[in-house]
Structures are given as structure tokens and as C-alpha cells.
Amino acid sequence: MRVGINGLTWALVVGVVIGLALTPDGRGWLRHPTLMLGGSAVASASPPENRAPSPETAAPPVAPTPAVQPLVTPLKARLAEGRLSVGVFGDSMADGLWAALYRDLNHQPGVTVTKFSEVSTGLSRYDYVDIQAKTERQLRETPVDAAVVLFGTNDAQGISLDGVIHDFGTPGWKAAYAKRIDDLVGLLRANDVAVYWVGLPKMKRTGFDAKMAVINAVVRERMKALGVPLIETSALTADAAGDYAAYLPGPSGRPQLMRANDGIHMSMAGYLRIAAPVAERLKRDAGLIEVKTADPRLGTPPTG
């Protein structure tokens, strides 16, 4: 008796499903069948296995209440001693920011700019790379005076905290992400490091841009609460209407290509554009320049 094509197909599907159900990886895929992470810049980590109850049914973590943050040595005092070491922490976006800051700052007497960033990392997936532990190790090996931080392009993913995976954008996720920000800032300040956080730029794809806006909103709230200077870049990387633009006016006023083809990362001109207010803020705080007129791009001053 001949078995029809539909019968063979059905048998194959059933066999594959049974095979998947017999392995932990297969069971994880069946719970969340997807071929790619989506919405990530260069993230290469796979989603966490063994999902706990969703944040919709489990109580979200309590929003962090920061402890009294330690005072850090002012940059002027650091440079008066003959040195100012700036470290750039973050993901692939921070790699480009480091290159631009290096060009702008490294020629200043006594100033060094060191790259601590790493592609495919972020504050969501500590099961892949634990940024808190990694940063602690980096500071132990190479102390710095100031940290420029830019994370987020890989962070539109669930966060596992206390046995619960909080889906991106939920109240539980926002509280967990805020805690990781607070922990990282606390670690840097405990090592006498001044912190400067850089916001995410405008993104080409509407859906991805909306996710980055969620991250920017959490970062903005935590920087205000912690008294950390935040240098916003969203408006700096948009056109006059507030929309994404690959080309924007350069220093000469003529349009320059500011973005990479992926609509996420920047060209070198783009990195120089977002690095300019960061470098200016660092120079101002170190006493290298005097800023007579307040520039909103320089970020809010610390309150403590």
C-alpha cells in the first residue's frame, strides 16, 4: 500500500517534533520557535533556556532605590596630577564611539582613551556575558578615572532575574534593567570612576527605534536619579523633523553620510558627531576648556 505525499510529510513532522521534545534545546525551541533573535544589532547569544513564569504572572522586581553614591575625584584634580584615563564601555556602538573619542582626546597632554567595549554584549544577557563581573575585572587590571558608557543595541531581550525571565518592555524588565544600570554605576563609582552615560541614537527601522526609545527612557530616569551626566544622541542623529536620516550636515554644513548600511551603527563621521558633545563635556569637567554657554548636548550635571 502506497503512502501519499501528505502522509509522508505528516510522519516527518511528527518525527521531528518528537525528536525535539527529547532534548533540552529542542524543548526550548518548541516553547519559542524562532530562527533569529531579531531587533539586535550584533547579538550572538541565544535566548535563555528553561523559562520561569512570565512577568505577567509573577511579581516584578521592586524598582531600584539607589544607595548613597560615593563621591568620586573630580576630573580637574585627576588631570592636575598629570593624568586623566578615560575608558569606553559598551557594545559595538561603543567601539565606534571609542575611536572617535580617541581621535578627539588622545592628543591632550596627560589624557589617554582606552577601549573596554565588546561587540554582542549588553545589560540584558548576563548569562552570555556578565557585564558587572567583566567590568570589575577590567577595572582591577586597568584602572580608569572616567567611564563613558554606551549600551543598548543588543538589549531588547528578556532579562533573567531571581529565576524569572522578564520579557522586554514589561514593568518587570524595566525594573531589572534599571537595577543593572544602578549596579554598574555603583561599581564604577566605588572604584573612584566618574561616569558619563551616552544615549542611543535614532534608528532606521521604526520597530527597532521604538525599542531603543524604551531603553533610552529607562536610562534617562536612572541617570537623573543617580546624578550621572547623560549625553543624549537621538536628536543629534535625526533630521529637522525628528526622523532618521542617513545624511546630516557635517562640520562644513554640507551633507555627510552619518550611518552604516544596517541603519543602526554610524559611519566614522557619525561617530565623530555623537562623540563631539561627550568629548566637550569631558574637556569641560577636566578644565581643558571653559564653556560659557550651557549646551543641552553636554548632558545634565551630577547632583551629588
Side-chain angles (χ1 to χ4, degrees):
M1 178 177 176
R2 295 178 59 190
V3 180
I5 296 298
N6 289 339
L8 285 172
T9 302
W10 177 249
L12 178 61
V13 170
V14 170
V16 169
V17 170
I18 292 174
L20 288 170
L22 293 176
T23 66
D25 288 345
R27 290 193 294 272
W29 188 90
L30 286 171
R31 285 193 293 271
H32 299 279
T34 179
L35 296 179
M36 62 181 293
L37 291 175
S40 298
V42 290
S44 57
S46 59
E49 295 181 18
N50 304 326
R51 287 183 67 91
S54 72
E56 285 71 28
T57 58
V62 177
T65 301
V68 177
Q69 295 289 316
L71 296 177
V72 299
T73 304
L75 300 194
K76 282 185 181 180
R78 296 287 197 185
L79 198 55
E81 296 174 355
R83 76 182 195 305
L84 177 62
S85 175
V86 178
V88 181
F89 299 81
D91 52 25
S92 55
M93 187 75 75
D95 280 0
L97 180 64
W98 164 79
L101 286 173
Y102 184 91
R103 285 180 56 173
D104 198 328
L105 293 174
N106 213 58
H107 68 281
Q108 298 283 346
V111 179
T112 60
V113 184
T114 304
K115 186 178 85 70
F116 294 93
S117 53
E118 181 183 352
V119 299
S120 302
T121 60
L123 302 183
S124 288
R125 296 294 307 278
Y126 279 16
D127 59 310
Y128 176 59
V129 175
D130 187 330
I131 294 299
Q132 188 78 4
K134 178 175 182 280
T135 304
E136 185 175 10
R137 183 180 68 253
Q138 289 173 321
L139 294 175
R140 206 165 46 239
E141 296 170 351
T142 311
V144 297
D145 304 311
V148 175
V149 185
L150 174 54
F151 279 111
T153 54
N154 301 306
D155 285 346
Q157 305 184 56
I159 294 179
S160 178
L161 185 66
D162 298 329
V164 177
I165 295 179
H166 301 278
D167 292 328
F168 175 76
T170 61
W173 183 92
K174 292 177 182 177
Y177 197 75
K179 183 181 185 305
R180 291 197 170 166
I181 291 171
D182 285 12
D183 289 346
L184 183 58
V185 171
L187 170 65
L188 289 163
R189 284 178 162 172
N191 283 272
D192 199 19
V193 178
V195 184
Y196 297 80
W197 206 285
V198 181
L200 292 162
K202 192 75 177 172
M203 301 295 176
K204 183 176 182 179
R205 287 186 288 125
T206 302
F208 189 62
D209 187 58
K211 291 177 180 178
M212 298 302 99
V214 170
I215 293 171
N216 272 341
V218 176
V219 167
R220 191 175 299 115
E221 190 276 331
R222 294 322 301 157
M223 296 306 105
K224 182 178 180 181
L226 296 169
V228 172
L230 171 63
I231 295 88
E232 302 266 16
T233 66
S234 184
L236 194 62
T237 51
D239 61 17
D243 298 325
Y244 173 92
Y247 286 84
L248 290 168
S252 67
R254 300 178 62 180
Q256 271 189 297
L257 179 62
M258 299 290 177
R259 306 304 290 259
N261 291 335
D262 62 5
I264 297 172
H265 296 85
M266 317 292 293
S267 67
M268 194 61 232
Y271 283 120
L272 288 169
R273 185 180 181 88
I274 66 172
V278 182
E280 192 171 353
R281 177 60 190 262
L282 290 168
K283 290 176 186 177
R284 187 184 81 185
D285 289 356
L288 292 169
I289 60 173
E290 182 179 350
V291 179
K292 296 181 180 179
T293 304
D295 186 340
R297 298 179 308 163
L298 301 181
T300 55
T303 57

